[in-house]
Amino acid sequence: VFTSWLSAQRSPEEGLPAVHSRQWAMARRALMTVLLFSLILGGSLLLWGYVFQGCGPAHCETPVCRDLLSLYLASGNTSVAPCTDFFSFACGNTNRTTSSFQALAKENKRRLQRILEAPGSWRLDSGEEKAFQFYSSCMDTGAIEGAGAGPLRQVIEELGGWPVSGDWTPLDFNRTLSLLMSQHGHFPFFRAYLRPLPTPPYTPVIQIDQPEFDVPLKQKQEMNYAQILREYLTYLNRLGTLLGGDPNKVGEHASFSISINSQLYQFLRPPEQQQAQGKLFQMVTIDQLQEMAPAIDWLSCLQATFAPVSLSPSHPVAVHDLEYLKNMSQLVEKQLSKHRDFLQSHMILGLVGTLSPALDSKFQEARRLLSQKLGELTGRPPTPAHPRWMTCVEKTAAFFKPTLAALFVREAFGPSTRSAVREGSFHLCVSSQVTQLQVKMGAPEWALKPDPARQEYNDIQLGPSFLQSFLSCVRSRRARIIRSFLQPFPNHRWQVLPWGVNAYYSIPDHVVVFPAGLLQPPFFHPGYPRAVNFGAAGSVMAHELLHIFYQLLFPGGCPACDTHALQGALVCLERHYAAFPLPNGTFFNGSRTFLEDAADMGGLAIALQAYSKRLLWYRGETTLPNLNLSPWQLFFRSYAQVMCRDPSTQDPQDTHSPPTLRIHGPLSNSPAFARHFHCPHGTLMNPSSRCQLW
């Protein structure tokens, strides 16, 4: 067609002078060039349109993507318009009462269970085999039930016996206390632990802190106080009966134990009062502590508990509540002079509670009933009843952390995952403009590259009863912790286990840590579309990076900032969140949640920017089938999936906003979200004004 058109245009040229003929020839050549270019451009556009229509982002059809697709389809409600209610669009069909992080933590424990129940799949040395043997004995409920209270009675006899259940050979009070602390991990009057100080220079030091109580016994004016006491008394009576005690004596000794706990509770100084007074702890020597709280033989008790640390009277310790220790000492001295047998009962009953996870089902049921009743009376959720496998996994993981850490990393954080995580974290750090920050991912070096020559468990003796195995592991674990603090450790000490899901920022080391347990499906997988990894895990990681800047958001925290502009941005943030409707039964408290709200909003922005840079550098994006979402849309959908949960199940004291706000707040503040979902101006997810905070 183009050639015929050119031929038809030649006839006028024949009658023109030469000069005009040359001009016309030049014009004709220019016209031909333009027409040829137009034809090529038009053809190219048609060709590219055909290519993109038929060869757009490929669908990920792998098993891991299919599993993720099933989760997204089951959770979302695609009949809801994303521009009017993205929470319902992404989470409308979710009935999960726990958060995504809690669900992931449970799945990681499932993975540990599979590891522990397949010992033949691993090459183990004799020490590592003890982890599998311990787990197996924990799961052997038949043997535990058959032993009954016998192993516990033997432990009590080694402590001098119990006046209620049999012969009692009184030991020296401090001798009994020393044995409870060092051999059984029970601290009836105070807690003692070795840990870095909470303030610079963060050196490890022995710290003396308030004890932990089974029951809140402080506010006598509370309506349910008498009922709480009755339930606690019922629990202690049940323990005494299980140990074969005389019911009349048990009741008397149980009442005395409650009285002791109630008085100790009155001595406590609330943490907020400590902060208001500016005294989180006080450094004293053991000798000074002995003078101020003389009922306790501090040197002998601490030396037994923290061996092989060599202690002396001049050794410094950090005391968190000195007034409590003084009052506690006076109470103990008073009871020692009048009721030595009752004081022994108080310590024994507390020990039984501490050891209940290693006892038969009767003791555990007593504990469960107490938790249930207290939950009903205080309005607090009771401790969830874990299946036996989970209890055994948790105990095995606590006692054999080096072995389980190495096996979990080998199973769940292989080379492909590490490579994909490093790539994503690089883009996140560049996008967040964080300098001089160390980013630790996966697991510490000792788990990534375990030393086969290390003899971790030589001091553990398993059997003959599960309780004895449990106590041997308690002692071994404490000794390992102490030895680790005695050894030089130039790098950051991880505060989370490799299978944990909580990332954190360490102020003293300027290190942010992302454990391997967080970088798992459905948050992350090297086979996922990158939009998923950046939208889910990426936003979580960026959220954690922003914790570094929290202090800038407080009054006076950023001298170089425009204070007026910063305050205006924070006010804008609170108003932005407060404008969204909330489901019945949920509330928004901007003064409590503003730090996490700011991190949610900034985390999404950083992850989005990182994903954008990733697209500039690489090609080959994929998406999930059957969702009809582009990679950009899948990014935002994956961000929302992390937040999915039933809003009515959130703890009122949670420092995060309700899940509806954690989704709508940041997404509606992103112009990119409105652009990629084509949201009309003025809809819920495309408001007329936005906040600029980061």
Side-chain angles (χ1 to χ4, degrees):
V1 175
F2 181 64
T3 304
S4 301
W5 184 85
L6 285 177
S7 300
Q9 306 306 313
R10 287 178 186 166
S11 55
E13 180 183 351
E14 297 174 355
L16 293 176
V19 61
H20 292 290
S21 178
R22 288 194 299 271
Q23 291 175 348
W24 173 248
M26 293 174 61
R28 187 178 64 183
R29 285 195 295 270
L31 182 61
M32 286 181 62
T33 301
V34 171
L35 290 172
L36 282 169
F37 177 77
S38 300
L39 180 62
I40 294 171
L41 177 61
S44 299
L45 290 175
L46 289 172
L47 176 62
W48 281 108
Y50 170 79
V51 168
F52 276 110
Q53 182 178 4
C55 304
H59 289 164
C60 179
E61 302 282 359
T62 62
V64 292
C65 285
R66 285 289 178 185
D67 290 343
L68 184 67
L69 175 64
S70 297
L71 173 66
Y72 281 21
L73 290 174
S75 173
N77 181 0
T78 55
S79 67
V80 177
C83 294
T84 59
D85 185 356
F86 200 76
F87 175 81
S88 296
F89 175 80
C91 314
N93 288 329
T94 186
N95 56 2
R96 188 169 56 208
T97 58
T98 58
S99 69
S100 298
F101 295 90
Q102 292 168 316
L104 179 56
K106 183 175 181 180
E107 180 54 37
N108 288 342
K109 290 175 183 176
R110 280 284 189 190
R111 188 186 289 263
L112 289 176
Q113 178 196 15
R114 292 192 290 269
I115 291 173
L116 287 167
E117 292 183 353
S121 302
W122 310 96
R123 185 177 299 174
L124 307 169
D125 60 33
S126 59
E128 292 173 326
E129 286 178 352
K130 289 182 179 180
F132 293 81
Q133 293 167 2
F134 177 85
Y135 176 79
S136 179
S137 64
C138 180
M139 291 296 291
D140 188 358
T141 54
I144 296 173
E145 296 296 324
L152 180 58
R153 292 195 187 98
Q154 182 180 345
V155 169
I156 293 173
E157 288 174 6
E158 294 169 356
L159 293 168
W162 187 26
V164 175
S165 63
D167 294 335
W168 177 42
T169 305
L171 301 179
D172 174 74
F173 166 77
N174 277 289
R175 170 63 177 159
T176 302
L177 180 61
S178 176
L179 288 172
L180 286 171
M181 293 169 57
S182 63
Q183 301 299 303
H184 305 95
H186 178 57
F187 298 82
F189 302 105
F190 56 87
R191 281 185 299 142
Y193 49 85
L194 183 63
R195 195 174 299 171
L197 289 172
T199 59
Y202 307 106
T203 52
V205 66
I206 293 174
Q207 302 186 41
I208 314 297
D209 209 343
Q210 301 169 347
E212 295 177 337
F213 293 91
D214 289 331
V215 178
L217 299 173
K218 184 178 180 181
Q219 298 176 343
K220 293 185 178 181
Q221 68 275 18
E222 286 187 357
M223 182 185 305
N224 295 328
Y225 181 77
Q227 291 177 273
I228 291 174
L229 289 182
R230 282 194 293 271
E231 293 299 337
Y232 192 31
L233 181 61
T234 299
Y235 165 71
L236 295 180
N237 283 332
R238 186 175 286 118
L239 295 186
T241 302
L242 291 173
L243 287 170
D246 181 291
N248 295 324
K249 288 185 178 180
V250 168
E252 185 180 8
H253 284 246
S255 297
F256 179 86
S257 181
I258 290 177
S259 174
I260 289 289
N261 272 338
S262 182
Q263 292 178 74
L264 291 175
Y265 210 112
Q266 310 306 314
F267 299 153
L268 298 182
R269 186 165 57 118
E272 54 271 17
Q273 183 180 338
Q274 297 181 42
Q275 294 177 1
Q277 295 174 353
K279 290 185 178 181
L280 295 177
F281 63 91
Q282 185 174 345
M283 297 300 299
V284 299
T285 65
I286 294 178
D287 203 25
Q288 290 171 330
L289 185 58
Q290 190 65 55
E291 292 181 6
M292 291 181 282
I296 309 298
D297 186 344
W298 292 100
L299 183 59
S300 65
C301 287
L302 295 178
Q303 183 65 78
T305 303
F306 295 102
V309 177
S310 180
L311 301 180
S312 67
S314 61
H315 194 94
V317 295
V319 175
H320 287 260
D321 190 345
L322 186 56
E323 288 303 312
Y324 167 82
L325 295 181
K326 292 178 180 179
N327 290 325
M328 176 273 298
S329 177
Q330 293 175 6
L331 177 63
V332 169
E333 283 185 320
K334 177 182 176 182
Q335 300 304 331
L336 280 174
S337 63
K338 296 182 178 179
H339 304 292
R340 175 69 180 86
D341 56 340
F342 284 100
L343 208 56
Q344 175 80 358
S345 291
H346 172 71
M347 293 190 289
I348 294 299
L349 288 171
L351 174 64
V352 175
T354 298
L355 298 182
S356 61
L359 303 178
D360 67 47
S361 59
K362 298 183 183 66
F363 289 94
Q364 295 182 41
E365 177 64 12
R367 193 81 175 178
R368 188 195 67 79
L369 288 175
L370 175 65
S371 175
Q372 176 184 325
K373 292 294 184 181
L374 291 180
E376 294 171 357
L377 293 172
T378 61
R380 298 176 183 175
T383 303
H386 288 166
R388 184 68 185 179
W389 70 263
M390 186 178 292
T391 299
C392 293
V393 162
E394 290 173 349
K395 295 304 177 187
T396 308
F399 295 144
F400 297 90
K401 180 174 70 173
T403 293
L404 268 293
L407 295 179
F408 182 86
V409 167
R410 203 183 313 172
E411 172 92 2
F413 200 65
S416 61
T417 302
R418 296 181 207 180
S419 176
V421 169
R422 280 195 295 269
E423 173 195 309
S425 65
F426 168 75
H427 290 284
L428 286 171
C429 289
V430 170
S431 298
S432 61
Q433 300 179 354
V434 178
T435 59
Q436 298 179 343
L437 173 72
Q438 295 183 67
V439 179
K440 304 287 187 181
M441 293 175 295
E445 282 298 313
W446 55 261
L448 293 172
K449 299 177 181 179
D451 181 3
R454 292 175 65 181
Q455 300 296 318
E456 296 284 356
Y457 314 116
N458 287 344
D459 55 348
I460 291 181
Q461 301 296 323
L462 298 180
S465 70
F466 178 66
L467 177 59
Q468 289 169 309
S469 298
F470 181 88
L471 289 173
S472 180
C473 290
V474 167
R475 293 188 286 268
S476 174
R477 177 173 178 258
R478 186 182 61 253
R480 284 199 307 274
I481 292 173
I482 294 170
R483 286 196 300 268
S484 72
F485 279 113
L486 293 177
Q487 297 169 354
F489 202 91
N491 299 320
H492 172 72
R493 295 178 186 271
W494 280 55
Q495 302 167 19
V496 63
L497 296 168
W499 51 84
V501 299
N502 294 320
Y504 68 90
Y505 168 62
S506 170
I507 295 177
D509 297 330
H510 196 43
V511 171
V512 63
V513 174
F514 303 106
L518 174 66
L519 304 170
Q520 301 297 316
F523 288 10
F524 185 91
H525 191 279
Y528 280 171
R530 293 187 182 94
V532 173
N533 288 338
F534 277 87
S539 61
V540 173
M541 296 170 75
H543 175 114
E544 201 63 38
L545 287 171
L546 290 175
H547 286 191
I548 301 169
F549 304 108
Y550 270 6
Q551 71 273 13
L552 303 180
L553 301 179
F554 289 105
C558 183
C561 296
D562 183 336
T563 306
H564 180 73
L566 177 60
Q567 188 60 34
L570 293 176
V571 171
C572 177
L573 178 69
E574 184 169 356
R575 289 176 178 172
H576 180 76
Y577 274 68
F580 290 101
L582 286 172
N584 292 333
T586 59
F587 304 93
F588 171 65
N589 185 339
S591 61
R592 187 179 68 241
T593 65
F594 85 96
L595 286 176
E596 296 295 341
D597 294 339
D600 280 343
M601 190 170 287
L604 175 71
I606 292 173
L608 179 63
Q609 186 177 5
Y611 181 57
S612 300
K613 291 182 178 180
R614 178 62 180 73
L615 293 180
L616 292 176
W617 292 12
Y618 300 94
R619 293 292 182 267
E621 288 303 291
T622 60
T623 187
L624 294 178
N626 303 326
L627 285 181
N628 296 321
L629 296 178
S630 70
W632 286 104
Q633 292 173 327
L634 183 60
F635 169 90
F636 294 113
R637 175 69 174 79
S638 299
Y639 166 82
Q641 188 66 39
V642 173
M643 310 299 177
C644 284
R645 70 175 297 178
D646 183 350
S648 64
T649 62
Q650 183 165 354
D651 185 348
Q653 301 304 316
D654 194 342
T655 56
H656 299 86
S657 287
T660 50
L661 294 186
R662 297 193 71 184
I663 292 175
H664 288 160
L667 292 181
S668 65
N669 200 61
S670 169
F673 174 88
R675 183 170 64 253
H676 288 291
F677 277 95
H678 313 292
C679 295
H681 185 72
T683 56
L684 184 77
M685 303 304 294
N686 188 10
S688 57
S689 62
R690 293 182 171 90
C691 302
Q692 184 65 42
L693 180 61
W694 298 104

